Amino acid sequence: MSEELSELLKVRRDKLDELRDKGINPFPYTYEASITAAEVLTKFKDIKEGEQAEEEVSLAGRLMTKRGHGKASFGHLQDETGRIQIYAREDVIGAKYDIYRKLDMGDIIGIKGHVFRTKTGELTVKVADFTMLCKSLHPLPEKWHGLQDKELRYRERYVDLMVNQEVKDVFVKRSKIVSLIRKFLENKGFLEVETPLLHVMQGGAAAKPFTTHHDALDMPLFLRIAPELYLKRLIVGGFEKVFELGRVFRNEGISYKHNPEFSIIEIYQAYADYNDVMKLTEDIIVTAAQEILGTLEIEYKGEKINLATPWKRITLIDALKEKGIDIAGKSEAEIRAIAKQKGVEGTEKLGVGKIINTLYDKFVEADLRQPTFIIDHPIETSPLAKKHRSKEGQVERFELIIAGMELANAFSELNDPIDQAERFKKQAELKAAGDEEAESMDEDFLRALEYGMPPTGGLGIGIDRLVMILTNQASIRDVLLFPHMKPLARSQPSEEEVKILDK
């Protein structure tokens, strides 16, 4: 901590002590505000220059600016809805003006007064009285807006939200998107459910899990990588339309589109297949865009994206062919040779399905800019999806790609317990060979399938990536309130705390 900052902190603590010495509680319990900043701007918009409203109003918020050191002072008070200018005079407030004069930017106060319009045309509240609601002990940053060191903004998101309205707007839109999706599904007869976050075994997606340990049961547990297998158990149990929106955890790298924990929605509908789910996916995203943005022609990172439906549908094999990689009808050896020629490393250790997926990841996905369904994937990389009804070695699966990012993944769900058991066995072999992302042999899930699961379409949508697209944010960190960061030394647990946690 710099000497300059230390001195500023000391000054604020001195002011805190001064308030207490005067018998003022710098951290009171409650305050009743009659109006918000946004409501003032709306309700009193017709007041003319020099006029003052008769009605007294009370507001509460954070003091964001303050100018004037004599017997009068202007400032801006910020609440959840925005900012309003305030004006305080010694001849109005009286003896309390000495306390008001010593307020710091960042202090939270309640004010009472009358609204008027200044000569410059700005609606302003003339302060008749004020109450200290929280003394800020840390100065607001002077040059935080537009700060290039985004890491600092992510670490201190509370400051970022405080001083950057556009950042706050992103998270307001995020909440609205989530709420809208919930309502959309509920209106279509879907039931929201909750399933465990702690799993006895990993499953539901190809990803490396986080592991933990339950002391009382003396057993390992996994933070869920997907809720899929539990939700399909509910379909077996008789629920025909269910969804779950929540966090999943994957022990993978961090990038502009990856965070160790993130939000997804998984949706399952009995008596539907992946064609039905494609239509549902379009409807969900189009509805969200139309409601939140008012248009289907959006901009993402300077690029125009048109969400008007129907969206392009193309098989994975045809998408590769469009890039000059023709694997249709080729033998496994030929596909391996093509991959090697294209620079895919470790082909001798990969199954042919993973090789095809690697070719797709390397040469296709990033170039898919407009909404595109990549359909019909290799069976090897889709152990929970139903075999394609007419294409050997493939499954009825799609991924939705927008702006080079996968936003959704969906199947005609595999409901043949014998086929599923065989797929799990092959996954177990891959796991034994060192593939940490392979599915586990889930005997209870197989038992559930043996009771009978109706034909089902399942869908998973990455909420964070959808919000990125709809709010034009370049990184997943910009749509997560508190993205994962490597902690600074002062934020890490002490050696003593580590010892306690390890016991």
Side-chain angles (χ1 to χ4, degrees):
M1 186 180 294
S2 69
E3 288 185 16
E4 181 185 2
L5 186 55
S6 296
E7 181 59 31
L8 289 172
L9 294 178
K10 182 179 182 304
V11 168
R12 291 202 174 209
R13 279 161 175 74
D14 288 345
K15 289 183 179 181
L16 176 71
D17 292 339
E18 185 179 344
L19 287 170
R20 285 177 167 148
D21 289 344
K22 291 178 182 293
I24 298 171
N25 181 0
F27 305 106
Y29 292 90
T30 186
Y31 185 82
E32 188 172 343
S34 65
I35 199 166
T36 66
E39 288 169 345
V40 168
L41 296 175
T42 301
K43 184 172 182 178
F44 299 97
K45 67 181 186 302
D46 295 328
I47 286 183
K48 295 179 173 57
E49 180 185 319
E51 289 184 351
Q52 177 174 297
E54 292 184 10
E55 177 187 347
E56 185 180 67
V57 298
S58 61
L59 298 90
R62 189 182 296 272
L63 190 62
M64 299 301 293
T65 68
K66 186 166 172 275
R67 63 189 187 277
H69 302 286
K71 296 183 178 182
S73 173
F74 279 97
H76 281 91
L77 198 69
Q78 178 174 292
D79 65 11
E80 185 180 33
T81 68
R83 292 188 183 188
I84 187 74
Q85 182 165 267
I86 62 175
Y87 176 58
R89 293 175 58 95
E90 183 177 18
D91 59 359
V92 176
I93 298 178
K96 288 183 74 172
Y97 188 75
D98 182 56
I99 299 169
Y100 184 90
R101 188 170 54 82
K102 294 178 182 179
L103 291 176
D104 292 306
M105 284 190 293
D107 286 350
I108 300 173
I109 61 173
I111 66 167
K112 292 181 179 180
H114 296 270
V115 180
F116 73 103
R117 191 177 295 277
T118 65
K119 291 180 180 179
T120 59
E122 187 168 357
L123 276 179
T124 304
V125 180
K126 182 185 288 185
V127 180
D129 191 15
F130 79 97
T131 304
M132 173 64 74
L133 300 179
C134 180
K135 179 62 188 171
S136 173
L137 299 181
H138 203 294
L140 295 180
E142 292 182 13
K143 298 180 180 178
W144 190 270
H145 186 81
L147 190 67
Q148 293 305 305
D149 182 6
K150 278 202 165 187
E151 275 214 8
L152 181 56
R153 288 173 54 187
Y154 298 144
R155 289 183 190 282
E156 298 185 13
R157 179 69 86 188
Y158 37 89
V159 182
D160 201 18
L161 293 168
M162 201 184 300
V163 300
N164 290 329
Q165 183 60 43
E166 65 274 18
V167 172
K168 191 174 181 181
D169 290 343
V170 167
F171 291 104
V172 170
K173 284 182 180 176
R174 179 189 173 110
S175 290
K176 289 180 177 178
I177 290 167
V178 168
S179 177
L180 190 147
I181 291 173
R182 279 194 164 105
K183 290 174 183 174
F184 175 89
L185 290 169
E186 288 168 355
N187 288 338
K188 287 189 172 292
F190 285 87
L191 181 72
E192 183 172 10
V193 297
E194 292 179 309
T195 63
L197 291 176
L198 291 172
H199 288 189
V200 175
M201 58 184 66
Q202 73 182 87
K208 181 181 176 182
F210 288 96
T211 59
T212 185
H213 189 271
H214 191 284
D215 291 342
L217 296 176
D218 191 22
M219 62 182 289
L221 291 170
F222 301 93
L223 286 176
R224 73 175 178 193
I225 55 177
E228 176 167 345
L229 300 186
Y230 280 103
L231 292 173
K232 288 200 277 195
R233 285 173 170 92
L234 297 181
I235 298 292
V236 170
F239 289 106
E240 295 183 357
K241 288 183 173 183
V242 296
F243 75 93
E244 183 168 11
L245 199 160
R247 291 277 174 152
V248 294
F249 309 86
R250 299 182 184 180
N251 198 352
E252 300 170 339
I254 293 177
S255 73
Y256 78 96
K257 58 182 178 179
H258 292 99
N259 193 69
E261 62 172 298
F262 57 97
S263 296
I264 64 170
I265 185 168
E266 288 209 3
I267 306 163
Y268 292 85
Q269 180 175 346
Y271 311 111
D273 67 5
Y274 78 146
N275 293 302
D276 300 309
V277 175
M278 266 185 263
K279 178 65 168 61
L280 179 63
T281 307
E282 288 178 336
D283 290 345
I284 289 171
I285 295 176
V286 163
T287 300
Q290 198 73 64
E291 290 287 329
I292 301 300
L293 305 177
T295 180
L296 297 182
E297 293 186 6
I298 66 174
E299 183 174 307
Y300 181 66
K301 293 163 62 173
E303 181 177 10
K304 301 294 183 184
I305 305 290
N306 189 348
L307 298 177
T309 58
W311 296 339
K312 180 179 179 180
R313 301 183 184 191
I314 183 171
T315 68
L316 190 151
I317 288 176
D318 285 343
L320 282 169
K321 190 174 182 179
E322 285 188 352
K323 291 295 181 179
I325 304 171
D326 189 359
I327 63 170
K330 297 289 194 297
S331 67
E332 182 175 324
E334 289 172 317
I335 292 172
R336 289 182 185 278
I338 290 170
K340 192 171 184 179
Q341 181 187 359
K342 289 290 183 180
V344 176
E345 298 179 1
T347 54
E348 64 282 351
K349 296 180 181 179
L350 298 176
V352 68
K354 280 213 167 183
I355 290 174
I356 292 170
N357 261 24
T358 303
L359 286 168
Y360 164 78
D361 290 341
K362 189 172 183 179
F363 296 104
V364 178
E365 184 173 279
D367 291 336
L368 298 172
R369 313 309 299 174
Q370 299 302 316
T372 304
F373 290 117
I374 297 294
I375 65 173
D376 305 343
H377 292 241
I379 192 169
E380 177 192 329
T381 57
S382 312
L384 299 170
K386 209 174 183 78
K387 288 178 182 176
H388 199 284
R389 63 196 80 184
S390 62
K391 297 177 182 178
E392 187 69 28
Q394 297 180 35
V395 295
E396 295 195 347
R397 172 185 174 186
F398 73 76
E399 290 181 352
L400 169 64
I401 313 298
I402 302 179
M405 284 194 300
E406 177 195 337
L407 261 70
N409 186 29
F411 316 142
S412 294
E413 300 293 340
L414 178 55
N415 61 342
D416 178 343
I418 297 172
D419 187 358
Q420 185 66 83
E422 288 300 315
R423 306 262 198 107
F424 277 158
K425 286 177 185 176
K426 289 180 181 177
Q427 290 291 302
E429 292 169 5
L430 292 172
K431 190 183 287 289
D435 186 347
E436 294 178 300
E437 295 185 353
E439 291 278 347
S440 301
M441 174 64 79
D442 191 330
E443 297 285 357
D444 181 73
F445 177 66
L446 290 174
R447 188 179 305 112
L449 289 185
E450 287 175 353
Y451 280 97
M453 183 175 85
T456 300
L459 166 67
I461 298 176
I463 294 297
D464 310 296
R465 292 183 184 179
L466 177 59
V467 174
M468 284 171 65
I469 294 290
L470 295 183
T471 60
N472 193 16
Q473 298 300 306
S475 170
I476 194 170
R477 292 182 173 189
D478 295 321
V479 300
L480 294 171
L481 281 167
F482 302 102
H484 279 278
M485 312 282 291
K486 189 170 184 178
L488 299 172
R490 68 175 185 269
S491 303
Q492 295 176 338
S494 66
E495 290 183 14
E496 192 61 33
E497 288 172 319
V498 170
K499 290 177 184 177
I500 292 171
L501 291 169
D502 284 343
K503 284 182 180 180

